[in-house]
Amino acid sequence: MASNNSDMMNELRSLQAQVMHFKDLLSEEGEKVAGEARGRAATLLNGAGRKAQDVANYAKDEAVSIGSVAREHPTATSTALLTAGLVGGLIGYFLATSSQAPSHSPRRWL
């Protein structure tokens, strides 16, 4: 019986050692995967930052270009803005007058 108990204890110790070994392996793999993910995320964020800077520079360049055109041709600029405003106002007016007013009757089903 003592031999049987000793065998069981040895087997339990062996199983415990194997579990600890697997735990260590999983921990190492988890650290490796996390490191790779951090590296990829850093690369993506760096690329996104460069793209955002490029977009901001493009928008700034276009704004400067539009500003210089407006300064060189103030009459044409004001005419274009006035025309756009009038067209927008007319479109809004026609849309507002073409739609029917909602019925406020309590008997909407009739």
Side-chain angles (χ1 to χ4, degrees):
M1 180 105 170
S3 172
N4 197 11
N5 252 353
S6 176
D7 289 342
M8 286 178 69
M9 290 301 286
N10 287 338
E11 195 170 322
L12 280 174
R13 285 188 196 111
S14 173
L15 285 172
Q16 202 173 28
Q18 287 177 0
V19 166
M20 292 301 288
H21 177 71
F22 287 137
K23 185 186 112 192
D24 291 341
L25 285 175
L26 285 173
S27 176
E28 288 173 13
E29 283 298 313
E31 288 175 7
K32 188 188 313 181
V33 168
E36 289 173 2
R38 277 191 297 270
R40 289 181 187 155
T43 301
L44 288 173
L45 285 175
N46 190 18
R50 281 194 306 258
K51 290 289 184 187
Q53 185 64 38
D54 291 346
V55 168
N57 288 338
Y58 178 77
K60 182 181 174 184
D61 292 343
E62 288 300 312
V64 168
S65 175
I66 290 171
S68 66
V69 168
R71 276 192 296 286
E72 289 174 11
H73 308 288
T75 306
T77 302
S78 61
T79 302
L81 290 174
L82 181 62
T83 303
L86 287 173
V87 168
L90 287 173
I91 290 172
Y93 174 76
F94 288 131
L95 286 175
T97 58
S98 69
S99 64
Q100 294 179 352
S103 175
H104 296 295
S105 170
R107 294 187 233 160
R108 294 189 89 164
W109 61 88
L110 291 178

